[in-house]
Short mmCIF file of all heavy atoms in Angstrom, two decimals:
data_model
loop_
_atom_site.label_atom_id
_atom_site.label_comp_id
_atom_site.label_asym_id
_atom_site.label_seq_id
_atom_site.Cartn_x
_atom_site.Cartn_y
_atom_site.Cartn_z
N MET M 1 38.01 81.70 98.13
CA MET M 1 37.40 82.93 98.39
C MET M 1 35.87 82.76 98.56
O MET M 1 35.10 83.17 97.79
CB MET M 1 37.67 83.91 97.26
CG MET M 1 38.97 84.73 97.56
SD MET M 1 39.79 84.97 95.98
CE MET M 1 41.54 84.54 96.39
N THR M 2 35.50 82.09 99.62
CA THR M 2 34.10 81.93 99.89
C THR M 2 33.66 82.93 101.00
O THR M 2 34.28 83.07 101.99
CB THR M 2 33.78 80.45 100.30
OG1 THR M 2 34.81 80.06 101.19
CG2 THR M 2 33.73 79.53 99.15
N ALA M 3 32.51 83.53 100.75
CA ALA M 3 32.01 84.51 101.69
C ALA M 3 30.77 83.93 102.45
O ALA M 3 29.75 84.46 102.39
CB ALA M 3 31.62 85.80 100.94
N GLU M 4 31.03 82.84 103.06
CA GLU M 4 29.93 82.26 103.83
C GLU M 4 30.13 82.42 105.32
O GLU M 4 31.22 82.50 105.78
CB GLU M 4 29.83 80.78 103.49
CG GLU M 4 31.17 80.01 103.58
CD GLU M 4 30.98 78.52 103.21
OE1 GLU M 4 30.33 77.79 104.02
OE2 GLU M 4 31.51 78.11 102.20
N ASN M 5 29.01 82.58 106.02
CA ASN M 5 29.05 82.77 107.42
C ASN M 5 29.84 83.98 107.88
O ASN M 5 30.51 84.00 108.89
CB ASN M 5 29.65 81.57 108.23
CG ASN M 5 28.69 80.32 108.03
OD1 ASN M 5 27.53 80.42 107.77
ND2 ASN M 5 29.28 79.13 108.18
N THR M 6 29.63 85.06 107.08
CA THR M 6 30.45 86.32 107.48
C THR M 6 29.80 87.03 108.66
O THR M 6 30.47 87.66 109.37
CB THR M 6 30.44 87.21 106.23
OG1 THR M 6 29.28 87.03 105.49
CG2 THR M 6 31.67 86.90 105.39
N SER M 7 28.46 86.86 108.78
CA SER M 7 27.78 87.61 109.89
C SER M 7 27.61 86.78 111.11
O SER M 7 27.39 87.33 112.14
CB SER M 7 26.38 88.03 109.34
OG SER M 7 25.64 86.93 108.92
N SER M 8 27.72 85.50 111.00
CA SER M 8 27.50 84.64 112.19
C SER M 8 28.77 84.67 113.04
O SER M 8 29.88 84.59 112.56
CB SER M 8 27.18 83.19 111.78
OG SER M 8 28.28 82.62 111.18
N SER M 9 28.55 84.71 114.32
CA SER M 9 29.69 84.66 115.24
C SER M 9 29.94 83.30 115.67
O SER M 9 29.20 82.69 116.45
CB SER M 9 29.41 85.52 116.46
OG SER M 9 28.14 85.21 117.02
N VAL M 10 30.96 82.70 115.10
CA VAL M 10 31.36 81.34 115.46
C VAL M 10 32.10 81.24 116.76
O VAL M 10 33.09 81.96 116.98
CB VAL M 10 32.23 80.71 114.30
CG1 VAL M 10 32.55 79.28 114.59
CG2 VAL M 10 31.50 80.87 112.93
N THR M 11 31.56 80.40 117.55
CA THR M 11 32.19 80.27 118.93
C THR M 11 33.40 79.37 118.80
O THR M 11 33.27 78.21 118.35
CB THR M 11 31.22 79.65 119.94
OG1 THR M 11 30.03 80.42 119.94
CG2 THR M 11 31.79 79.69 121.27
N ARG M 12 34.58 79.92 119.03
CA ARG M 12 35.77 79.19 118.96
C ARG M 12 36.25 78.85 120.29
O ARG M 12 36.36 79.68 121.19
CB ARG M 12 36.80 80.00 118.19
CG ARG M 12 37.64 79.16 117.26
CD ARG M 12 38.64 79.94 116.50
NE ARG M 12 39.99 79.40 116.70
CZ ARG M 12 41.08 80.13 116.52
NH1 ARG M 12 41.10 81.35 116.23
NH2 ARG M 12 42.25 79.51 116.72
N VAL M 13 36.63 77.59 120.47
CA VAL M 13 37.10 77.16 121.78
C VAL M 13 38.57 76.70 121.65
O VAL M 13 38.92 75.88 120.78
CB VAL M 13 36.28 76.01 122.38
CG1 VAL M 13 36.83 75.57 123.73
CG2 VAL M 13 34.82 76.45 122.55
N VAL M 14 39.43 77.34 122.41
CA VAL M 14 40.79 76.92 122.39
C VAL M 14 41.18 76.33 123.76
O VAL M 14 40.49 76.38 124.70
CB VAL M 14 41.74 78.19 122.07
CG1 VAL M 14 41.46 78.68 120.75
CG2 VAL M 14 41.51 79.28 123.13
N GLN M 15 42.35 75.71 123.80
CA GLN M 15 42.84 75.12 125.02
C GLN M 15 43.80 76.00 125.73
O GLN M 15 44.70 76.67 125.11
CB GLN M 15 43.55 73.82 124.69
CG GLN M 15 42.65 72.54 124.89
CD GLN M 15 43.48 71.29 124.83
OE1 GLN M 15 44.72 71.33 124.66
NE2 GLN M 15 42.84 70.17 125.09
N CYS M 16 43.58 76.20 126.97
CA CYS M 16 44.49 76.99 127.79
C CYS M 16 45.89 76.36 127.76
O CYS M 16 46.02 75.14 128.08
CB CYS M 16 44.02 77.03 129.24
SG CYS M 16 45.17 77.91 130.34
N PRO M 17 46.90 77.16 127.33
CA PRO M 17 48.25 76.58 127.19
C PRO M 17 48.84 76.17 128.53
O PRO M 17 49.78 75.40 128.59
CB PRO M 17 49.04 77.69 126.63
CG PRO M 17 48.09 78.72 126.13
CD PRO M 17 46.83 78.49 126.97
N SER M 18 48.23 76.65 129.61
CA SER M 18 48.82 76.29 130.99
C SER M 18 48.12 75.15 131.54
O SER M 18 48.80 74.24 132.04
CB SER M 18 48.54 77.59 131.85
OG SER M 18 49.51 77.54 132.86
N CYS M 19 46.82 74.97 131.52
CA CYS M 19 46.14 73.88 132.16
C CYS M 19 45.28 73.05 131.22
O CYS M 19 44.65 72.11 131.66
CB CYS M 19 45.30 74.42 133.30
SG CYS M 19 43.88 75.32 132.81
N SER M 20 45.34 73.40 129.90
CA SER M 20 44.62 72.64 128.88
C SER M 20 43.07 72.68 129.10
O SER M 20 42.37 71.85 128.55
CB SER M 20 45.08 71.21 128.87
OG SER M 20 46.40 71.18 128.55
N LYS M 21 42.55 73.62 129.82
CA LYS M 21 41.17 73.80 129.98
C LYS M 21 40.57 74.48 128.73
O LYS M 21 41.24 75.36 128.15
CB LYS M 21 40.85 74.61 131.20
CG LYS M 21 40.16 73.85 132.30
CD LYS M 21 40.10 74.53 133.55
CE LYS M 21 39.07 75.67 133.56
NZ LYS M 21 38.95 76.32 134.94
N PRO M 22 39.41 74.12 128.31
CA PRO M 22 38.77 74.78 127.17
C PRO M 22 38.42 76.20 127.51
O PRO M 22 37.83 76.52 128.52
CB PRO M 22 37.49 73.98 126.87
CG PRO M 22 37.25 73.18 128.13
CD PRO M 22 38.52 72.98 128.88
N VAL M 23 38.94 77.08 126.60
CA VAL M 23 38.65 78.48 126.74
C VAL M 23 37.86 79.01 125.54
O VAL M 23 38.27 78.81 124.42
CB VAL M 23 39.94 79.35 126.84
CG1 VAL M 23 39.71 80.74 127.13
CG2 VAL M 23 40.83 78.73 127.95
N VAL M 24 36.71 79.64 125.82
CA VAL M 24 35.96 80.26 124.75
C VAL M 24 36.61 81.43 124.23
O VAL M 24 36.78 82.51 124.99
CB VAL M 24 34.48 80.50 125.17
CG1 VAL M 24 33.70 81.19 124.08
CG2 VAL M 24 33.81 79.25 125.69
N TRP M 25 37.07 81.40 123.01
CA TRP M 25 37.79 82.54 122.37
C TRP M 25 36.77 83.61 121.95
O TRP M 25 36.07 83.47 120.92
CB TRP M 25 38.60 81.97 121.20
CG TRP M 25 39.50 83.02 120.70
CD1 TRP M 25 39.28 84.04 119.84
CD2 TRP M 25 40.92 83.03 120.96
NE1 TRP M 25 40.43 84.75 119.65
CE2 TRP M 25 41.47 84.18 120.20
CE3 TRP M 25 41.83 82.29 121.71
CZ2 TRP M 25 42.81 84.47 120.24
CZ3 TRP M 25 43.21 82.58 121.71
CH2 TRP M 25 43.63 83.67 121.02
N GLY M 26 36.73 84.64 122.72
CA GLY M 26 35.80 85.70 122.33
C GLY M 26 36.16 86.98 123.11
O GLY M 26 37.17 87.07 123.73
N ALA M 27 35.16 87.97 122.91
CA ALA M 27 35.49 89.22 123.59
C ALA M 27 35.50 89.17 125.08
O ALA M 27 36.15 89.89 125.78
CB ALA M 27 34.38 90.20 123.19
N ALA M 28 34.78 88.07 125.58
CA ALA M 28 34.68 87.97 127.03
C ALA M 28 35.94 87.25 127.60
O ALA M 28 36.19 87.29 128.77
CB ALA M 28 33.45 87.05 127.33
N ALA M 29 36.65 86.63 126.69
CA ALA M 29 37.93 85.96 127.15
C ALA M 29 39.04 86.97 127.36
O ALA M 29 39.76 87.40 126.49
CB ALA M 29 38.34 84.96 126.14
N THR M 30 39.12 87.42 128.61
CA THR M 30 39.95 88.50 128.96
C THR M 30 41.43 88.03 129.00
O THR M 30 42.37 88.82 128.58
CB THR M 30 39.67 89.02 130.38
OG1 THR M 30 38.23 89.08 130.50
CG2 THR M 30 40.28 90.37 130.64
N TYR M 31 41.65 86.76 129.29
CA TYR M 31 43.02 86.26 129.43
C TYR M 31 43.44 85.35 128.35
O TYR M 31 44.32 84.58 128.54
CB TYR M 31 43.15 85.59 130.81
CG TYR M 31 42.63 86.47 131.96
CD1 TYR M 31 41.55 86.13 132.68
CD2 TYR M 31 43.41 87.61 132.27
CE1 TYR M 31 41.14 86.94 133.69
CE2 TYR M 31 43.03 88.43 133.30
CZ TYR M 31 41.91 88.09 134.06
OH TYR M 31 41.44 88.91 135.03
N LYS M 32 42.68 85.43 127.19
CA LYS M 32 42.98 84.51 126.17
C LYS M 32 44.46 84.64 125.69
O LYS M 32 45.01 85.72 125.71
CB LYS M 32 42.07 84.70 124.94
CG LYS M 32 42.16 86.08 124.32
CD LYS M 32 41.05 86.24 123.28
CE LYS M 32 41.01 87.68 122.77
NZ LYS M 32 39.91 87.99 121.91
N PRO M 33 45.07 83.52 125.32
CA PRO M 33 44.46 82.22 125.17
C PRO M 33 44.39 81.46 126.51
O PRO M 33 44.07 80.27 126.49
CB PRO M 33 45.49 81.49 124.25
CG PRO M 33 46.77 82.11 124.59
CD PRO M 33 46.49 83.51 124.97
N PHE M 34 44.60 82.11 127.61
CA PHE M 34 44.57 81.39 128.89
C PHE M 34 43.14 81.51 129.46
O PHE M 34 42.37 82.33 129.12
CB PHE M 34 45.59 82.04 129.90
CG PHE M 34 46.98 82.06 129.38
CD1 PHE M 34 47.49 83.14 128.71
CD2 PHE M 34 47.76 80.90 129.47
CE1 PHE M 34 48.81 83.06 128.19
CE2 PHE M 34 49.07 80.86 129.01
CZ PHE M 34 49.56 81.98 128.34
N CYS M 35 42.93 80.57 130.43
CA CYS M 35 41.53 80.51 130.99
C CYS M 35 41.33 81.54 132.10
O CYS M 35 40.28 81.92 132.39
CB CYS M 35 41.23 79.07 131.43
SG CYS M 35 42.18 78.64 132.90
N SER M 36 42.49 81.89 132.70
CA SER M 36 42.43 82.78 133.79
C SER M 36 43.71 83.62 133.98
O SER M 36 44.68 83.29 133.32
CB SER M 36 42.07 82.06 135.09
OG SER M 36 43.19 81.18 135.39
N ASP M 37 43.64 84.56 134.76
CA ASP M 37 44.80 85.42 135.02
C ASP M 37 45.96 84.58 135.67
O ASP M 37 47.10 84.85 135.38
CB ASP M 37 44.43 86.59 135.93
CG ASP M 37 45.54 87.64 136.06
OD1 ASP M 37 46.19 87.85 135.03
OD2 ASP M 37 45.71 88.26 137.12
N ARG M 38 45.47 83.60 136.48
CA ARG M 38 46.48 82.78 137.15
C ARG M 38 47.25 81.99 136.16
O ARG M 38 48.46 81.90 136.23
CB ARG M 38 45.70 81.84 138.10
CG ARG M 38 46.59 81.24 139.20
CD ARG M 38 45.78 80.54 140.21
NE ARG M 38 46.55 79.40 140.75
CZ ARG M 38 46.29 78.10 140.40
NH1 ARG M 38 45.32 77.88 139.62
NH2 ARG M 38 47.08 77.19 140.82
N CYS M 39 46.60 81.38 135.18
CA CYS M 39 47.22 80.56 134.22
C CYS M 39 48.17 81.48 133.35
O CYS M 39 49.23 81.06 132.97
CB CYS M 39 46.24 79.88 133.35
SG CYS M 39 45.65 78.38 134.09
N ARG M 40 47.76 82.66 133.15
CA ARG M 40 48.51 83.56 132.34
C ARG M 40 49.86 83.89 133.09
O ARG M 40 50.96 83.93 132.48
CB ARG M 40 47.82 84.91 132.12
CG ARG M 40 48.28 85.72 130.99
CD ARG M 40 47.32 86.75 130.59
NE ARG M 40 47.99 88.05 130.57
CZ ARG M 40 47.72 89.06 131.49
NH1 ARG M 40 46.83 88.92 132.37
NH2 ARG M 40 48.38 90.16 131.35
N LEU M 41 49.67 84.20 134.34
CA LEU M 41 50.88 84.48 135.11
C LEU M 41 51.78 83.24 135.24
O LEU M 41 52.98 83.46 135.23
CB LEU M 41 50.41 84.97 136.53
CG LEU M 41 49.78 86.37 136.45
CD1 LEU M 41 49.21 86.72 137.86
CD2 LEU M 41 50.78 87.45 136.07
N LEU M 42 51.12 82.13 135.35
CA LEU M 42 51.93 80.86 135.53
C LEU M 42 52.79 80.71 134.27
O LEU M 42 53.97 80.36 134.36
CB LEU M 42 51.02 79.67 135.69
CG LEU M 42 50.60 79.35 137.10
CD1 LEU M 42 49.44 78.28 137.10
CD2 LEU M 42 51.82 78.87 137.95
N ASP M 43 52.20 80.92 133.16
CA ASP M 43 52.92 80.80 131.93
C ASP M 43 53.99 81.76 131.81
O ASP M 43 55.11 81.50 131.38
CB ASP M 43 51.94 80.86 130.69
CG ASP M 43 52.58 80.23 129.47
OD1 ASP M 43 52.63 79.02 129.43
OD2 ASP M 43 52.96 81.04 128.55
N LEU M 44 53.73 82.97 132.18
CA LEU M 44 54.70 84.05 132.09
C LEU M 44 55.83 83.76 133.01
O LEU M 44 56.99 84.01 132.66
CB LEU M 44 54.05 85.34 132.48
CG LEU M 44 53.16 86.06 131.35
CD1 LEU M 44 52.52 87.25 131.94
CD2 LEU M 44 54.09 86.50 130.18
N GLY M 45 55.55 83.16 134.19
CA GLY M 45 56.51 82.71 135.14
C GLY M 45 57.40 81.69 134.58
O GLY M 45 58.67 81.77 134.73
N ALA M 46 56.83 80.78 133.88
CA ALA M 46 57.60 79.72 133.30
C ALA M 46 58.56 80.30 132.20
O ALA M 46 59.62 79.81 132.11
CB ALA M 46 56.69 78.66 132.70
N TRP M 47 58.03 81.20 131.48
CA TRP M 47 58.80 81.84 130.45
C TRP M 47 60.05 82.54 131.07
O TRP M 47 61.15 82.44 130.64
CB TRP M 47 57.94 82.87 129.75
CG TRP M 47 57.66 82.57 128.35
CD1 TRP M 47 56.66 81.77 127.84
CD2 TRP M 47 58.50 82.97 127.23
NE1 TRP M 47 56.80 81.74 126.50
CE2 TRP M 47 57.88 82.42 126.06
CE3 TRP M 47 59.62 83.74 127.10
CZ2 TRP M 47 58.41 82.66 124.79
CZ3 TRP M 47 60.16 83.95 125.83
CH2 TRP M 47 59.55 83.41 124.67
N ALA M 48 59.70 83.31 132.15
CA ALA M 48 60.78 84.10 132.76
C ALA M 48 61.84 83.24 133.32
O ALA M 48 63.04 83.49 133.15
CB ALA M 48 60.20 84.92 133.91
N SER M 49 61.44 82.12 134.00
CA SER M 49 62.47 81.22 134.56
C SER M 49 63.29 80.57 133.47
O SER M 49 64.49 80.27 133.62
CB SER M 49 61.80 80.17 135.44
OG SER M 49 60.75 79.58 134.80
N GLU M 50 62.64 80.32 132.38
CA GLU M 50 63.35 79.74 131.24
C GLU M 50 64.42 80.72 130.70
O GLU M 50 65.49 80.40 130.34
CB GLU M 50 62.40 79.36 130.12
CG GLU M 50 62.41 77.88 129.71
CD GLU M 50 61.31 77.56 128.73
OE1 GLU M 50 61.53 77.82 127.56
OE2 GLU M 50 60.28 77.10 129.19
N LYS M 51 63.94 81.90 130.69
CA LYS M 51 64.87 82.95 130.22
C LYS M 51 66.05 83.22 131.11
O LYS M 51 67.23 83.27 130.64
CB LYS M 51 64.10 84.38 130.16
CG LYS M 51 63.71 84.83 128.76
CD LYS M 51 62.95 86.08 128.85
CE LYS M 51 63.14 86.96 127.66
NZ LYS M 51 62.45 88.21 127.84
N TYR M 52 65.74 83.13 132.40
CA TYR M 52 66.87 83.36 133.33
C TYR M 52 67.78 82.15 133.41
O TYR M 52 68.95 82.27 133.77
CB TYR M 52 66.29 83.61 134.79
CG TYR M 52 65.66 84.98 134.88
CD1 TYR M 52 64.40 85.11 135.37
CD2 TYR M 52 66.37 86.17 134.52
CE1 TYR M 52 63.77 86.37 135.46
CE2 TYR M 52 65.83 87.38 134.60
CZ TYR M 52 64.50 87.51 135.05
OH TYR M 52 63.96 88.75 135.20
N ALA M 53 67.30 81.01 132.95
CA ALA M 53 68.14 79.84 132.95
C ALA M 53 69.21 79.89 131.88
O ALA M 53 70.30 79.28 132.03
CB ALA M 53 67.23 78.61 132.73
N ILE M 54 68.95 80.65 130.86
CA ILE M 54 69.89 80.82 129.77
C ILE M 54 70.86 81.88 130.13
O ILE M 54 70.45 83.05 130.43
CB ILE M 54 69.18 81.16 128.43
CG1 ILE M 54 68.19 80.08 128.05
CG2 ILE M 54 70.15 81.37 127.37
CD1 ILE M 54 67.16 80.49 126.97
N PRO M 55 72.10 81.58 130.17
CA PRO M 55 73.14 82.59 130.53
C PRO M 55 73.24 83.67 129.48
O PRO M 55 73.31 83.37 128.27
CB PRO M 55 74.45 81.75 130.68
CG PRO M 55 74.19 80.56 129.83
CD PRO M 55 72.75 80.27 129.95
N ALA M 56 73.24 84.84 129.91
CA ALA M 56 73.32 85.96 129.07
C ALA M 56 74.71 86.10 128.49
O ALA M 56 75.61 86.46 129.20
CB ALA M 56 72.87 87.27 129.67
N ALA M 57 74.79 85.81 127.22
CA ALA M 57 76.18 85.89 126.57
C ALA M 57 76.36 87.26 125.90
O ALA M 57 75.42 87.77 125.20
CB ALA M 57 76.25 84.79 125.49
N THR M 58 77.43 87.79 126.17
CA THR M 58 77.72 89.16 125.55
C THR M 58 78.13 88.99 124.10
O THR M 58 78.92 88.11 123.79
CB THR M 58 78.84 89.88 126.25
OG1 THR M 58 79.48 88.96 127.17
CG2 THR M 58 78.31 91.11 127.13
N PRO M 59 77.59 89.75 123.25
CA PRO M 59 78.01 89.70 121.80
C PRO M 59 79.48 89.92 121.70
O PRO M 59 79.99 90.99 122.11
CB PRO M 59 77.18 90.83 121.11
CG PRO M 59 76.13 91.18 122.06
CD PRO M 59 76.58 90.82 123.43
N PRO M 60 80.27 88.97 121.08
CA PRO M 60 81.66 89.06 121.00
C PRO M 60 82.19 90.12 120.01
O PRO M 60 83.24 90.55 120.10
CB PRO M 60 82.09 87.69 120.68
CG PRO M 60 80.94 86.99 120.02
CD PRO M 60 79.69 87.77 120.48
N ASP M 61 81.44 90.27 118.94
CA ASP M 61 81.87 91.07 117.87
C ASP M 61 81.32 92.51 117.82
O ASP M 61 81.08 93.12 116.81
CB ASP M 61 81.58 90.40 116.52
CG ASP M 61 82.25 89.06 116.38
OD1 ASP M 61 83.40 88.94 116.76
OD2 ASP M 61 81.55 88.13 115.93
N LEU M 62 81.06 93.04 119.06
CA LEU M 62 80.50 94.30 119.09
C LEU M 62 81.50 95.39 118.77
O LEU M 62 81.23 96.38 117.99
CB LEU M 62 79.94 94.65 120.52
CG LEU M 62 78.36 94.89 120.54
CD1 LEU M 62 77.83 94.62 121.90
CD2 LEU M 62 78.18 96.33 120.13
N ASP M 63 82.73 95.13 119.26
CA ASP M 63 83.79 96.16 118.96
C ASP M 63 84.18 96.09 117.46
O ASP M 63 84.48 97.08 116.84
CB ASP M 63 85.03 95.87 119.79
CG ASP M 63 84.83 96.48 121.18
OD1 ASP M 63 83.71 96.31 121.79
OD2 ASP M 63 85.84 97.18 121.66
N ASP M 64 84.17 94.84 117.01
CA ASP M 64 84.47 94.58 115.58
C ASP M 64 83.59 95.35 114.62
O ASP M 64 84.00 95.94 113.68
CB ASP M 64 84.30 93.08 115.30
CG ASP M 64 85.75 92.58 114.69
OD1 ASP M 64 86.80 92.99 115.16
OD2 ASP M 64 85.57 91.81 113.73
N PHE M 65 82.34 95.29 115.04
CA PHE M 65 81.28 95.96 114.20
C PHE M 65 81.57 97.46 114.19
O PHE M 65 81.38 98.10 113.16
CB PHE M 65 79.91 95.64 114.82
CG PHE M 65 78.80 96.24 114.06
CD1 PHE M 65 78.38 95.73 112.80
CD2 PHE M 65 78.14 97.40 114.51
CE1 PHE M 65 77.33 96.32 112.10
CE2 PHE M 65 77.09 97.93 113.84
CZ PHE M 65 76.70 97.38 112.59
N ASP M 66 81.91 98.03 115.26
CA ASP M 66 82.14 99.45 115.41
C ASP M 66 83.23 99.90 114.53
O ASP M 66 83.18 100.94 113.87
CB ASP M 66 82.32 99.84 116.89
CG ASP M 66 81.99 101.25 117.14
OD1 ASP M 66 80.84 101.66 116.72
OD2 ASP M 66 82.71 101.97 117.75
N THR M 67 84.31 99.13 114.55
CA THR M 67 85.51 99.50 113.78
C THR M 67 85.34 99.23 112.30
O THR M 67 86.06 99.79 111.43
CB THR M 67 86.71 98.77 114.28
OG1 THR M 67 86.42 97.43 114.46
CG2 THR M 67 87.29 99.37 115.60
N ALA M 68 84.32 98.41 111.99
CA ALA M 68 84.07 98.05 110.62
C ALA M 68 83.47 99.14 109.73
O ALA M 68 83.73 99.22 108.57
CB ALA M 68 83.17 96.86 110.55
N LYS M 69 82.76 100.07 110.47
CA LYS M 69 82.17 101.12 109.72
C LYS M 69 83.06 102.29 109.55
O LYS M 69 82.93 103.33 110.11
CB LYS M 69 80.77 101.50 110.28
CG LYS M 69 80.74 101.76 111.80
CD LYS M 69 79.32 102.15 112.17
CE LYS M 69 79.28 103.25 113.19
NZ LYS M 69 77.88 103.63 113.51
N THR M 70 84.06 102.09 108.71
CA THR M 70 85.02 103.14 108.40
C THR M 70 84.50 103.90 107.23
O THR M 70 84.39 103.32 106.15
CB THR M 70 86.43 102.62 108.15
OG1 THR M 70 86.28 101.36 107.48
CG2 THR M 70 87.25 102.41 109.42
N ASP M 71 84.27 105.14 107.40
CA ASP M 71 83.68 105.93 106.28
C ASP M 71 84.77 106.95 105.83
O ASP M 71 85.15 107.82 106.50
CB ASP M 71 82.41 106.60 106.76
CG ASP M 71 81.37 106.39 105.65
OD1 ASP M 71 81.68 106.32 104.51
OD2 ASP M 71 80.17 106.33 106.07
ZN1 ZN O 1 44.21 77.55 132.48
#
């Protein structure tokens, strides 16, 4: 519980998950943690394609669950 450097704004630099470029983490970083909108979209695209690659399996016990709640 140390209260040091509470008022100083520490510049934090993170790596863009998409291109590994250093990104200054701050109010000006609009696309954080990405360096740009392009990288953000690229990552989102990768995510989407990964999602679509996984076959959507239907829950097998949905009917079971419904009949289970006998009141
Ligand atoms: Zn980037």
Side-chain angles (χ1 to χ4, degrees):
M1 270 144 227
T2 42
E4 48 182 292
N5 293 337
T6 33
S7 55
S8 71
S9 50
V10 182
T11 309
R12 217 178 129 203
V13 178
V14 295
Q15 262 193 355
C16 173
S18 204
C19 71
S20 298
K21 246 171 75 174
V23 183
V24 178
W25 191 280
T30 319
Y31 308 111
K32 62 188 175 189
F34 303 96
C35 70
S36 64
D37 191 35
R38 197 170 147 256
C39 277
R40 195 166 131 249
L41 289 172
L42 272 170
D43 197 75
L44 282 172
W47 245 89
S49 49
E50 235 173 85
K51 252 179 148 182
Y52 287 128
I54 301 162
T58 13
D61 299 317
L62 238 158
D63 277 49
D64 232 43
F65 179 77
D66 205 47
T67 44
K69 48 183 219 174
T70 35
D71 226 328

